[in-house]
Amino acid sequence: MFKFLKEVVAGSGSGLKDFPYTIGEPYASAWGSWTHHRGTSKDDGSPVSIFSLSGSNPQDRHLVAGRNGVKRLRTVRHPNILSFLHSTEAEVPDGPAMKHTIYIVTEPVMPLSEKVKELNLGGTQRDEYFAWGLHQISKAVSFLNNDCKLVHGNVCLASVVVTQTLDWKLHAFDVLSEFDANNEASGSPMLQFEWLVGTQYKPMELTKSDWASIRKSPPWAIDSWGLGCLIYELFSGAKLARTEDLRNTASIPKSLLPDYQRLLNSTPSRRLNPSKLIDNSEFFQNKLVETIQFMEVLNLKDSVEKDSFFRKLPNIAEQLPREIVLKKLLPVLASSLEFGSAAAPALTVLLKMGSWLSVDQFSIKVLPTIVKLFASNDRAIRACLLQHIDQFGESLSAQTVDEQVFPNVATGFSDTTVSIRELTLKSMLVLAPKLSQRTISGSLLKYLSKLQVDEDPGIRTNTTILLGNIASHMNDGTRKRVLINAFTVRALRDTFPPARAAGIMALSVTSSYYEMTEIATRILPNIVVLTFDPDSDVRTKAFKATDQFLQIAKQHHEKLTTGDTMVAESTGVQLNTGNSGLLGWAMSSITQKGKASDHGSISTANASNSQVSATSAATPGTQASTAGYAPSTSSSLDKAAPASARSSVDGWGELEDDNIHEENGSDKEGWDDVDPFDDKASPSLLSNIQAAQKRPVVQPKQAVASAKSHQLKAPKSEDDPLWGPIAAAPPKSASKSADIKPSTSHNDEDDLWGSIAAPAPKTSGKPLKAPAANSDDLWGAIAAPPPSTKARPLASSGRGRGTKPAQPKLGAQRIGRTSSTGM
């Protein structure tokens, strides 16, 4: 309301103190006596154009004509007519005297003559741009003459300005008047301010002031002559000096010459109507005009026409002037996408055009449209955005990603289409680094938890790979809570071989985040089991990872030996390029999904980068293989995965505690399910191991105990090798794991490894509490190896379950029992 009152006061001539615009530098040229200034708004700093006209007194005839121009410009609205914003009239001091000045504020424009010099176009590109400009001015003149029954009176180069999007607009309405055809006999002037028009621009009847003849002529007669003058000035590159110069047609294009001559016909009634100029001339049939016209009525086209158009548009854009494409086509295309009239292929064109912009211009002209498109319900547009996110993802601010982009992208995690879920997962490689810790812990990890048990094996694999890549963007607490459970409980137990391989690779890449206790009790036992995996690629990676973590353990041992007090804080090898290797692997895994292979082989990262170069046991170099995640062509091991994946709706522990189900093994466990070797048990376990290492008398007792057990078992020839029953257990449990039900009340007793016979980390710590009650346990005499690798095969083999339904005990008792039965 205050702004409205201010404008009213300003319009009454109170001066420039309340003028809401800042007047800048003037342009070199303008129409008539007006001065064209650059300007800005005081409210928001947006650019405007300010036209000023001064006179010695309020009744100056130029000021009277200027007031007519202000009134006409305010009331006449058309897309090809200059947009009016504000006007005022004030007294401005000019030395000792005062001058009356009229100010008109419009949208930001530039004189056509200066814009043509700035563009400096030539040949076909110049003709195409001039054709588009003349097309727009012809529409504006036709609107005035045919629809409004108005006569502009002075159409010429000076009365045309160019917007920031390179559109041509008509202005200079000081002479504008109604076409009075009812009083044919009147000799009074129909154009009240025709004296403002230069003699060189006047047709013969206007030069003679033959108003009777003018009233008998069509409404467009005078302005058609003006269009002819405009065409001459455009192509000759010079201002029209006299009327006779219009006869010089050497510079006029041949395709436009017939219409040019009809516009300048000496008989007013035979002059070409501006509305027919656009339709009849071959000059207006070019790529630029057709492209812009198609895009302006895009919402009226059917899907087939749109698809055909956008397929051709990239090649057309290459042939058009770059500045016209960026300033004219790109804004129209962005607007069409934003309001839903453009199809998904248009997004590819928009991004290609956007690549020609500077970083700052891209952020201003393209990014706002892209951010809005993430909320689109069109699945094709969402898929296209995710496919090309690497082209604009880095330009998105962290706040924009966290507050606007991610909430819309996250809907793709639960999409029913596999390709959308896969592309959404892939996009996190770019978006995750820009997310806040609250979003990562509270939302992203919840979605990834579900995807790690997805029915599609390729998605499960890539989820593990993604976790390895974004681990560096998690805080310490989240990494400790998520990574080991995700990689061991989920990935290493997956029935899809590449998923197990990805789990091994992810553990290797993130090795610097684990404490020595976790490596010794939770990671190494699970990886060693995979050294006899049915898949050769998994075995190879398991051996490399084993070497890596053993090297870390050796470093830990050396630090303990030398008395390094910081050993608990350092777990060993620092990785150089592990993350970058996994990144490339994830990309190829997503893009090449669906190729047939025996075990769904995947491209691998360089595991040896995480090794210590000073040792002779360093792992070999990178292995590279292409990705092929076709569920229908994967090995038989992955056939059971979809069932568990579909029935699983859990999260990783506390993320979705209510949805954890226990009837289908480890695939149903959450990342926060704390294994026996949790934070509380780790200190005691480490102290027990260290205490055992410091007892010099323990080793002889172990040897004696071992010897006694051998003597007791000597009569039984079939049980001669003590490790025989233990070693035989994993293959046996692998074939029966699908039918074995939990025999104890503890969740960690489930045999969840299936055919790969990998021990579950949750049972790794249980046997540690039993040796105190059972001194005959042969496993208790071996202090160094993690208990998890000893207890799991016995628990999963089913060797003692058939004979005794009670809870199975430790291996030593089980060995004694089998010996007593004569087996």
Side-chain angles (χ1 to χ4, degrees):
M1 183 66 180
F2 175 74
K3 184 177 180 181
F4 171 76
L5 293 175
K6 182 171 64 174
E7 291 180 356
V8 172
V9 173
S12 65
S14 62
L16 291 178
K17 61 181 181 179
D18 294 328
F19 193 56
Y21 300 93
T22 302
I23 302 175
E25 294 296 323
Y27 288 99
S29 61
W31 180 86
S33 300
W34 289 88
T35 303
H36 185 180
H37 299 267
R38 300 172 179 86
T40 56
S41 171
K42 293 181 179 179
D43 293 336
D44 55 9
S46 58
V48 295
S49 282
I50 301 175
F51 297 85
S52 63
L53 178 65
S54 299
S56 57
N57 60 79
Q59 302 305 318
D60 186 288
R61 61 177 189 168
H62 286 88
L63 293 180
V64 175
R67 295 186 187 103
N68 177 68
V70 173
K71 182 184 70 173
R72 299 294 187 177
L73 190 63
R74 184 195 296 267
T75 56
V76 178
R77 298 286 182 170
H78 188 269
N80 303 123
I81 291 177
L82 185 60
S83 298
F84 174 88
L85 298 178
H86 180 81
S87 68
T88 188
E89 185 174 346
E91 290 185 350
V92 179
D94 183 19
M98 298 293 290
K99 281 192 174 182
H100 293 267
T101 305
I102 297 175
Y103 295 94
I104 303 177
V105 183
T106 68
E107 61 182 314
V109 290
M110 185 177 185
L112 176 59
S113 57
E114 296 189 26
K115 176 58 72 174
V116 169
K117 293 178 182 178
E118 181 183 292
L119 293 176
N120 193 26
L121 300 176
T124 304
Q125 291 187 345
R126 185 202 67 166
D127 291 348
E128 288 183 345
Y129 181 59
F130 285 177
W132 170 244
L134 289 172
H135 181 276
Q136 293 181 299
I137 297 302
S138 298
K139 289 172 64 177
V141 173
S142 176
F143 169 75
L144 293 175
N145 298 156
N146 298 299
D147 298 333
C148 302
K149 303 303 180 184
L150 296 172
V151 179
H152 183 278
N154 193 21
V155 178
C156 60
L157 188 67
S159 63
V160 178
V161 289
V162 183
T163 66
Q164 293 179 329
T165 57
L166 300 183
D167 290 315
W168 293 16
K169 295 204 173 185
L170 185 65
H171 80 123
F173 284 180
D174 293 15
V175 189
L176 188 70
S177 303
E178 287 82 3
F179 178 75
D180 184 12
N182 298 326
N183 190 6
E184 298 180 1
S186 175
S188 61
M190 189 177 68
L191 303 181
Q192 185 178 0
F193 305 103
E194 55 86 17
W195 50 267
L196 289 171
V197 181
T199 306
Q200 69 273 27
Y201 296 112
K202 291 181 178 180
M204 186 61 65
E205 67 274 15
L206 186 58
T207 303
K208 296 179 180 180
S209 297
D210 188 359
W211 299 111
S213 176
I214 291 174
R215 286 185 170 89
K216 293 179 181 179
S217 302
W220 60 82
I222 295 177
D223 290 338
S224 293
W225 182 277
L227 277 175
C229 297
L230 172 62
I231 293 173
Y232 173 84
E233 290 183 320
L234 273 176
F235 290 99
S236 66
K239 187 176 181 179
L240 182 63
R242 54 180 185 169
T243 307
E244 289 76 11
D245 292 341
L246 295 172
R247 300 178 183 273
N248 185 5
T249 60
S251 60
I252 308 299
K254 292 182 179 180
S255 58
L256 185 59
L257 185 58
D259 291 332
Y260 171 76
Q261 293 173 339
R262 292 181 64 188
L263 288 171
L264 298 173
N265 196 299
S266 58
T267 304
S269 60
R270 300 181 63 181
R271 290 177 189 152
L272 182 65
N273 190 329
S275 64
K276 295 184 178 179
L277 173 65
I278 305 170
D279 301 329
N280 295 343
S281 177
E282 297 179 2
F283 179 71
F284 294 99
Q285 307 301 320
N286 61 63
K287 294 178 181 178
L288 178 62
V289 175
E290 292 175 354
T291 300
I292 297 176
Q293 285 182 324
F294 187 95
M295 294 180 68
E296 288 181 341
V297 294
L298 197 60
N299 57 338
L300 302 179
K301 304 295 182 180
D302 57 36
S303 59
V304 177
E305 291 177 309
K306 292 179 182 179
D307 291 342
S308 176
F309 172 77
F310 287 117
R311 288 194 194 98
K312 299 176 182 177
L313 186 57
N315 294 331
I316 295 175
E318 293 283 356
Q319 302 171 18
L320 299 176
R322 184 59 53 86
E323 190 168 359
I324 296 176
V325 171
L326 296 180
K327 291 187 175 181
K328 176 59 183 176
L329 294 184
L330 189 144
V332 175
L333 183 60
S335 178
S336 299
L337 278 167
E338 185 175 340
F339 293 103
S341 58
L347 180 59
T348 305
V349 184
L350 178 70
L351 293 175
K352 181 177 181 179
M353 293 180 179
S355 66
W356 299 338
L357 293 169
S358 63
V359 176
D360 295 338
Q361 288 297 313
F362 182 85
S363 300
I364 295 173
K365 295 184 177 182
V366 179
L367 274 187
T369 299
I370 291 177
V371 172
K372 292 179 181 178
L373 288 178
F374 274 107
S376 173
N377 294 325
D378 189 336
R379 183 170 290 176
I381 289 181
R382 289 166 50 200
C384 190
L385 283 170
L386 297 175
Q387 286 174 345
H388 298 90
I389 197 168
D390 56 318
Q391 298 182 23
F392 59 84
E394 294 299 327
S395 300
L396 294 169
S397 65
Q399 182 179 3
T400 300
V401 171
D402 199 57
E403 297 178 358
Q404 301 180 50
V405 175
F406 179 77
N408 292 315
V409 172
T411 60
F413 285 120
S414 56
D415 197 280
T416 56
T417 304
V418 174
S419 60
I420 296 295
R421 298 201 303 273
E422 193 170 41
L423 288 171
T424 304
L425 181 65
K426 173 183 174 181
S427 69
M428 290 302 107
L429 293 171
V430 178
L431 299 181
K434 298 178 180 291
L435 295 177
S436 64
Q437 288 298 319
R438 180 177 182 180
T439 303
I440 291 176
S441 301
S443 298
L444 177 59
L445 293 181
K446 181 187 297 184
Y447 292 119
L448 296 184
S449 171
K450 294 181 179 180
L451 289 185
Q452 211 179 17
V453 291
D454 192 88
E455 62 182 5
D456 184 81
I459 291 181
R460 300 199 303 270
T461 303
N462 288 322
T463 303
T464 300
I465 295 171
L466 176 66
L467 284 169
N469 277 278
I470 67 174
S472 61
H473 304 292
M474 304 178 189
N475 56 38
D476 293 338
T478 303
R479 284 195 291 260
K480 187 175 181 64
R481 177 170 53 88
V482 169
L483 294 185
I484 294 183
N485 287 327
F487 297 151
T488 60
V489 177
R490 290 263 178 93
L492 296 188
R493 302 182 187 184
D494 199 290
T495 56
F496 189 50
R500 300 195 296 275
I504 297 173
M505 295 292 294
L507 285 170
S508 298
V509 167
T510 58
S511 61
S512 60
Y513 300 130
Y514 309 129
E515 297 179 358
M516 190 59 231
T517 303
E518 294 173 325
I519 292 175
T521 60
R522 301 183 65 186
I523 296 176
L524 268 174
N526 287 293
I527 294 179
V528 169
V529 174
L530 298 183
T531 56
F532 61 93
D533 190 89
D535 185 81
S536 61
D537 187 53
V538 175
R539 294 195 301 271
T540 301
K541 289 179 173 61
F543 278 113
K544 291 179 181 179
T546 300
D547 291 340
Q548 174 183 344
F549 285 105
L550 284 177
Q551 189 62 37
I552 296 175
K554 289 179 182 178
Q555 289 184 354
H556 183 271
H557 163 68
E558 292 172 358
K559 291 178 181 179
L560 283 176
T561 304
T562 58
D564 189 349
T565 57
M566 299 299 293
V567 66
E569 302 296 332
S570 176
T571 60
V573 180
Q574 295 293 330
L575 301 178
N576 296 325
T577 59
N579 282 357
S580 61
L582 273 182
L583 176 60
W585 184 27
M587 299 292 282
S588 63
S589 299
I590 292 174
T591 56
Q592 299 185 25
K593 178 181 180 296
K595 295 182 180 179
S597 62
D598 294 337
H599 294 288
S601 60
I602 54 179
S603 61
T604 64
N606 190 349
S608 64
N609 289 335
S610 60
Q611 304 296 328
V612 176
S613 59
T615 64
S616 59
T619 59
T622 305
Q623 297 180 359
S625 59
T626 56
Y629 299 147
S632 60
T633 59
S634 60
S635 66
S636 59
L637 294 175
D638 94 78
K639 292 181 179 179
S644 64
R646 286 189 296 269
S647 61
S648 176
V649 293
D650 71 319
W652 290 318
E654 65 186 24
L655 296 177
E656 290 185 336
D657 292 335
D658 296 338
N659 295 327
I660 297 179
H661 300 285
E662 300 176 357
E663 56 270 351
N664 197 21
S666 63
D667 284 345
K668 309 290 279 187
E669 296 178 12
W671 285 351
D672 288 337
D673 293 343
V674 181
D675 287 337
F677 294 103
D678 56 8
D679 295 339
K680 298 180 180 179
S682 296
S684 61
L685 174 61
L686 181 60
S687 62
N688 291 339
I689 294 176
Q690 292 175 345
Q693 292 173 343
K694 295 179 181 179
R695 291 198 301 268
V697 297
V698 174
Q699 297 300 331
K701 292 181 180 180
Q702 293 174 353
V704 172
S706 178
K708 289 181 180 180
S709 63
H710 278 287
Q711 292 174 358
L712 292 175
K713 293 177 63 66
K716 309 301 180 181
S717 59
E718 61 275 9
D719 289 333
D720 188 21
L722 289 178
W723 296 92
I726 300 175
K732 189 170 183 180
S733 64
S735 61
K736 297 180 180 180
S737 59
D739 299 328
I740 295 177
K741 300 296 181 179
S743 58
T744 67
S745 61
H746 300 286
N747 295 337
D748 51 44
E749 294 295 328
D750 296 341
D751 181 11
L752 302 174
W753 287 85
S755 58
I756 62 172
K762 283 198 168 185
T763 62
S764 59
K766 291 297 182 181
L768 291 179
K769 299 180 181 179
N774 185 9
S775 60
D776 295 332
D777 184 8
L778 295 179
W779 288 89
I782 306 174
S788 60
T789 60
K790 296 176 288 188
R792 175 53 63 189
L794 295 176
S796 61
S797 64
R799 184 177 291 273
R801 294 184 182 182
T803 59
K804 191 173 182 179
Q807 179 175 349
K809 299 181 179 180
L810 294 179
Q813 295 179 353
R814 192 175 295 180
I815 293 173
R817 183 168 62 255
T818 56
S819 176
S820 64
T821 57
M823 295 182 63

